[in-house]
Amino acid sequence: MERVVIIGGGGGGAILANLLPEEFKVTVVDKSEVHFFQPGNLWIAFKGVRKEKFLRPLRSLLKPRVEFVHDEVVSVDLNERVVKTASGKSLSYDYVVFASGAELDYGSVPGHRELLERFGDFYSTPENAEKLHASLRGLKEGRFVIGIADPVYKCPPGPHKAAFLSWEFFARRGLSDKVKVVLAVPVPHAYPSKTIADIIEPELNSRGIELHTFFTVNEVDVANKRIVSLEGEELSFDVAAVVPPHRGPSYAVNPAEVKDGSGYIKIDKYTSRVEGFDDAYAIGDCTNAPTSKSGVTAHLQAEVVAARLQGIDARYSGRTNCPLITDGKGLFVISDYDHPPIPVRLSKFKRLMEDFFVATYWSAVRSPELWSPIFRAYFEATDEFIRRGEGW
Amino acid sequence: MPEITVDARGMACPGPISALTRAYRNAQNGDLIIVLATDPGFEPDVKAWVERTKNELVELAKVDGNVIKAVIKVTAKK
Ligand SMILES: Cc1cc2nc3c(=O)[nH]c(=O)nc-3n(C[C@H](O)[C@H](O)[C@H](O)COP(=O)(O)OP(=O)(O)OC[C@H]3O[C@@H](n4cnc5c(N)ncnc54)[C@H](O)[C@@H]3O)c2cc1C
């Protein structure tokens, strides 16, 4: 029986573990006993939804045949085929899959950690999202600033969703004239893709959300309530949340060259195979694949790796499907390695589709084999639009 | 004068500008950042970036057919 060790039971790792058939002896190692649905942080922070809705014991999401080891991985030796953990376990494998996500680095921007401790954020944990909710409830006038500290971060539409949802939060409380929502992005337009920026910018303008482009957060001065950008500008705030720089796994990997300059695991973007090894794969946010860091990517790469371990020559096209919602409408940023995001229309229906994806999440993780045909049909139908470069 | 080369060929918008931003974070005044890109949007973007950040655009040219080469002298870092 071939032994597969999966590092991380987040979106990608849990789906992969559940997709592998009984012929494999599958072990998932995760330092956390709970799995949390990360997009839920936005609902906790801006809508006050209870965090329990987005948390499940990881064990309960894995099929009974999958072994769960609650432990932190401290090193992986790809030559010796062994994964070591903080409690001293050595796990040998026939195949290893890195699925440990991106690490959030609050230490590299001066003042950032202090900002997080003071106000919370909508990005890191459900607890910090609760804290941000409390901070926003206390804000009766002034400026709520959303910033980004590095152009590479998971869920590219996340900060934009935060801007629209926080605007809605203040509008509902009759505070739209008193509280200014400010969105600062590192890129030249409202959104990384110009096509999507052209759709979003009028929506930000019509709500009076202040937009700053070419603003990469470089320093936070919590005492004086100002944020300084790498490009040399300053913004004042009353409450602020900044998306932190991300990096790849901090645990040691031998050989060290399989990590790139930011610590991401270098993979073949189609097969997810770790560069230089045919018994090691990496999926999701921990890789250097040139596509959005998103749950959709992690899920599709998990399907590819599950197929490849069973001898099928599956490939990931780089497909993304990131929802960007305003208060009432939504769109999906869809693209693949060969095609930039296509022009799309904001609609109430797509907003509902996001709710549908949220509602199906737990079931899709636990029983991916049931949901895969449905998602596949959706992806195949919408791939047509990408190929034609047409709106959807 | 230290040179930092950023090869952003093949990256779609705003990949080249993002790569420039990341290189700029580690640069110092006096450094030269050389960016190679194939995305046509890079040309207006880099002009706007230089104007905003008040660094110096030493060269912006097409090389090897469709490759855009931008040479930026870092002068505005605080
Ligand atoms: C606010 C927000 C909104 C988002 N919205 C969307 C969205 O709408 N759509 C979408 O597709 N994506 C969205 N995302 C992104 C999505 O959540 C991630 O891309 C996805 O979770 C990545 O899955 P993963 O399996 O690679 O990593 P993760 O889900 O992050 O899982 C990594 C796992 O590895 C474990 N781990 C880490 N290090 C170790 C270690 N050393 N030892 C043992 N275990 C370890 C962690 O505990 C964790 O369980 C959003 C993210 C955020 C923050």
Side-chain angles (χ1 to χ4, degrees):
Chain A
M1 216 186 210
E2 291 191 300
R3 296 158 304 167
V4 183
V5 171
I6 301 173
I7 306 168
I15 289 177
L16 172 61
N18 287 336
L19 277 174
L20 287 170
E22 275 148 22
E23 297 89 86
F24 293 92
K25 183 181 175 306
V26 181
T27 304
V28 171
V29 195
D30 201 304
K31 63 182 177 184
S32 169
E33 273 184 299
V34 286
H35 176 116
F36 78 95
F37 177 62
Q38 296 177 25
N41 286 342
L42 291 161
W43 310 123
I44 300 169
F46 303 115
K47 292 188 179 285
V49 176
R50 283 176 46 248
K51 69 172 189 284
E52 286 68 27
K53 189 169 174 212
F54 304 112
L55 301 172
R56 293 284 184 280
L58 175 52
R59 178 63 271 178
S60 73
L61 293 175
L62 299 172
K63 303 236 159 158
R65 63 173 183 266
V66 175
E67 185 194 3
F68 173 50
V69 174
H70 175 217
D71 211 336
E72 181 173 354
V73 169
V74 292
S75 70
V76 180
D77 192 319
L78 294 171
N79 294 317
E80 300 294 327
R81 295 185 167 188
V82 62
V83 174
K84 292 210 164 127
T85 70
S87 76
K89 284 196 191 73
S90 287
L91 308 165
S92 324
Y93 61 79
D94 297 297
Y95 292 100
V96 67
V97 184
F98 296 87
S100 58
E103 295 189 7
L104 305 181
D105 180 5
Y106 287 92
S108 62
V109 170
H112 196 182
R113 202 178 291 283
E114 202 183 333
L115 182 82
L116 176 73
E117 278 160 17
R118 177 83 170 267
F119 299 115
D121 74 359
F122 57 89
Y123 214 75
S124 50
T125 63
E127 291 71 27
N128 282 328
E130 279 181 325
K131 195 178 224 177
L132 181 59
H133 187 66
S135 306
L136 295 178
R137 287 180 78 93
L139 185 63
K140 303 287 188 255
E141 62 180 321
R143 290 159 66 78
F144 172 48
V145 176
I146 297 161
I148 301 168
D150 187 81
V152 180
Y153 59 92
K154 54 186 160 184
C155 188
H160 303 75
K161 287 182 177 177
F164 287 115
L165 292 175
S166 58
W167 180 85
E168 183 188 35
F169 172 85
F170 293 117
R172 287 223 166 131
R173 297 160 79 88
L175 296 171
S176 1
D177 295 338
K178 298 218 164 77
V179 179
K180 188 90 187 154
V181 174
V182 181
L183 173 65
V185 297
V187 286
H189 328 284
Y191 189 80
S193 145
K194 173 85 166 66
T195 308
I196 303 295
D198 289 345
I199 304 163
I200 289 307
E201 208 163 322
E203 299 290 328
L204 294 166
N205 288 340
S206 69
R207 289 166 181 79
I209 298 174
E210 195 177 300
L211 173 70
H212 293 261
T213 54
F214 284 136
F215 193 102
T216 312
V217 176
N218 201 39
E219 191 189 331
V220 186
D221 178 352
V222 179
N224 295 304
K225 299 202 158 178
R226 48 181 208 121
I227 300 182
V228 185
S229 77
L230 185 61
E231 293 82 1
E233 284 182 300
E234 254 186 57
L235 286 175
S236 65
F237 66 84
D238 293 281
V239 175
V242 172
V243 174
H246 289 35
R247 31 182 183 74
S250 55
Y251 50 82
V253 181
N254 180 39
E257 301 82 70
V258 300
K259 289 188 186 177
D260 74 6
S262 302
Y264 293 113
I265 309 284
K266 293 192 251 177
I267 57 166
D268 173 75
K269 66 181 183 180
Y270 299 113
T271 60
S272 267
R273 190 175 276 162
V274 176
E275 258 182 30
F277 291 84
D278 56 13
D279 55 357
Y281 291 86
I283 59 174
D285 294 348
C286 68
T287 83
N288 73 338
T291 183
S292 303
K293 299 203 176 301
S294 70
V296 175
T297 298
H299 183 156
L300 294 174
Q301 288 174 327
E303 291 194 345
V304 166
V305 173
R308 296 194 76 83
L309 291 182
Q310 293 171 83
I312 301 161
D313 181 26
R315 283 163 167 260
Y316 171 53
S317 66
R319 172 64 194 262
T320 65
N321 202 74
C322 299
L324 198 167
I325 54 165
T326 68
D327 29 306
K329 293 182 178 176
L331 59 76
F332 290 96
V333 181
I334 65 176
S335 64
D336 63 28
Y337 289 139
D338 301 322
H339 305 86
I342 57 172
V344 277
R345 214 163 41 80
L346 274 163
S347 77
K348 287 188 178 159
F349 175 68
K350 288 176 205 155
R351 173 72 188 76
L352 266 180
M353 277 183 73
E354 208 223 353
D355 282 346
F356 171 77
F357 284 128
V358 174
T360 57
Y361 183 74
W362 301 115
S363 173
V365 172
R366 207 179 286 121
S367 308
E369 71 286 1
L370 300 179
W371 288 96
S372 283
I374 297 169
F375 289 140
R376 197 167 305 133
Y378 166 79
F379 286 126
E380 271 166 21
T382 43
D383 268 350
E384 278 285 304
F385 294 97
I386 301 187
R387 281 195 290 275
R388 293 202 299 259
E390 235 176 48
W392 173 69
Chain B
M1 200 179 294
E3 281 186 11
I4 306 164
T5 302
V6 178
D7 187 354
R9 284 175 292 183
M11 281 187 192
C13 144
I17 278 290
S18 297
L20 167 60
T21 302
R22 300 186 97 201
Y24 184 57
R25 172 157 273 155
N26 300 322
Q28 288 172 1
N29 285 335
D31 291 357
L32 282 183
I33 304 180
I34 301 165
V35 190
L36 301 174
T38 42
D39 183 81
F42 177 62
E43 210 169 311
D45 286 354
V46 74
K47 283 187 188 154
W49 184 88
V50 167
E51 198 172 309
R52 186 72 67 84
T53 57
K54 308 205 167 41
N55 288 287
E56 201 183 305
L57 188 58
V58 180
E59 186 190 334
L60 182 62
K62 280 258 165 66
V63 291
D64 300 337
N66 67 342
V67 178
I68 303 162
K69 179 182 175 192
V71 181
I72 295 141
K73 182 165 180 198
V74 178
T75 53
K77 281 217 70 167
K78 297 256 162 57

